[in-house]
Amino acid sequence: MSRQELLSPEGLRVDGRRANELRRILCRASVLNTADGSAYYEQGNTKVLVAVFGPREPRARGQLQHDQAIINVEFNIAPFSTSERRKRSKGDKRLLEIASFVRQTFEGAIQRSVYARSQIDIYLHLLQHDGGTLETCINAATLALVDAGISMDDYVCACTAGFIDETPVLDLNSVEESSIETPDLTVAVLPRSGNIALLQMESKLHSTKLDSVMELAIEGCKHIHKKLDEAVLAAANDLAEKLSH
């Protein structure tokens, strides 16, 4: 698919959005009774379910750290998540890569010293894929960790951005991501401080274009922060209502 097809002369993308528009976001916390924290998050047609367990005793005593918690992340893709019915093994490189990025992101955001000699498990399940898997997983995990009451420095909000026809575009979908001509940058930030928690690029991007793409992604993170905050407040109100009865 050529760049011209990805962005019309009117400035519209393949899904009808403008260059600086996010996909629709729907999210809920406390969706699983069996987990310490949980969340359902969808951004466009990418949908993720997350469960958080812990802090709890590490399963392997050899992994125990006396001064901080271990963060364990497992990421799985439902066989029905795409039109291609493919079951992936636990050793699949892409699964391990996504899990590693999520773990690294939250190792710097969770106040791990509060939970010394323990383990926090984050289980991510991709139900449907339409681009932005990493950003969606990070946003969903943030919501689930807050729901679990895990102490963090701040929310972690993530968003992708890229470049089409010399135009920075926000929140890439699957068609845009799969084009070899579209650079794909994922940025995760801590909104209050503005600190970067993750910066990950799938393809080459010229240094002269990096600033504009990063700025757009960070602006997207700010909007996502508001959505996550609304979901946390809604979950708190639901809990208060249940306790009042």
Side-chain angles (χ1 to χ4, degrees):
M1 179 172 282
S2 72
R3 288 186 177 184
Q4 194 61 42
E5 291 174 299
L6 292 176
L7 195 65
S8 74
E10 295 77 27
L12 297 177
R13 295 153 70 178
V14 289
D15 54 11
R17 287 181 294 148
R18 295 284 180 186
N20 62 350
E21 280 185 66
L22 284 168
R23 291 173 291 175
R24 183 186 65 164
I25 295 172
L26 295 173
C27 53
R28 280 185 59 203
S30 299
V31 294
L32 299 173
N33 293 330
T34 52
D36 295 316
S38 60
Y40 171 78
Y41 185 97
E42 64 178 69
Q43 195 155 330
N45 290 320
T46 299
K47 304 175 182 182
V48 174
L49 183 66
V50 185
V52 170
F53 294 89
R56 59 187 180 182
E57 188 174 335
R59 284 172 291 182
R61 299 292 295 176
Q63 294 180 341
L64 186 147
Q65 295 185 20
H66 296 279
D67 58 343
Q68 61 185 5
I70 303 162
I71 308 299
N72 173 59
V73 178
E74 293 186 20
F75 173 65
N76 286 292
I77 299 176
F80 52 80
S81 63
T82 64
S83 56
E84 178 191 356
R85 299 291 183 267
R86 177 187 171 193
K87 188 170 182 179
R88 296 172 183 258
S89 67
K90 281 200 169 183
D92 184 281
K93 183 181 176 183
R94 185 58 177 165
L95 299 186
L96 296 173
E97 189 178 59
I98 293 283
S100 177
F101 284 136
V102 174
R103 178 179 54 77
Q104 290 171 35
T105 299
F106 286 100
E107 279 180 342
I110 293 173
Q111 296 176 354
R112 294 195 291 156
S113 60
V114 175
Y115 308 108
R117 303 173 63 86
S118 67
Q119 176 171 318
I120 296 168
D121 293 304
I122 303 171
Y123 297 101
L124 302 150
H125 204 74
L126 181 67
L127 303 176
Q128 188 169 305
H129 170 68
D130 186 36
T133 297
L134 180 55
E135 64 169 323
T136 307
C137 285
I138 290 171
N139 295 331
T142 293
L143 196 52
L145 287 163
V146 171
D147 185 51
I150 302 296
S151 295
M152 295 195 291
D153 295 330
D154 194 0
Y155 285 32
V156 182
C157 304
C159 194
T160 59
F163 230 85
I164 301 172
D165 270 353
E166 300 303 310
T167 302
V169 292
L170 183 66
D171 189 16
L172 275 60
N173 60 34
S174 182
V175 173
E176 293 165 337
E177 276 187 352
S178 60
S179 169
I180 59 171
E181 298 177 320
T182 307
D184 179 4
L185 178 73
T186 301
V187 180
V189 302
L190 279 62
R192 284 187 299 181
S193 65
N195 290 340
I196 303 292
L198 176 76
L199 190 63
Q200 195 266 335
M201 193 178 298
E202 291 287 349
S203 54
K204 291 180 181 179
L205 177 66
H206 198 279
S207 58
T208 58
K209 299 175 179 177
L210 180 60
D211 285 348
S212 58
V213 172
M214 271 192 67
E215 285 172 13
L216 187 60
I218 290 169
E219 193 60 36
C221 291
K222 292 176 183 176
H223 290 287
I224 290 167
H225 179 217
K226 292 177 185 175
K227 290 288 186 181
L228 295 179
D229 223 17
E230 289 169 6
V232 170
L233 183 60
N237 288 338
D238 287 346
L239 180 60
E241 192 174 330
K242 286 175 185 175
L243 293 175
S244 65
H245 290 107

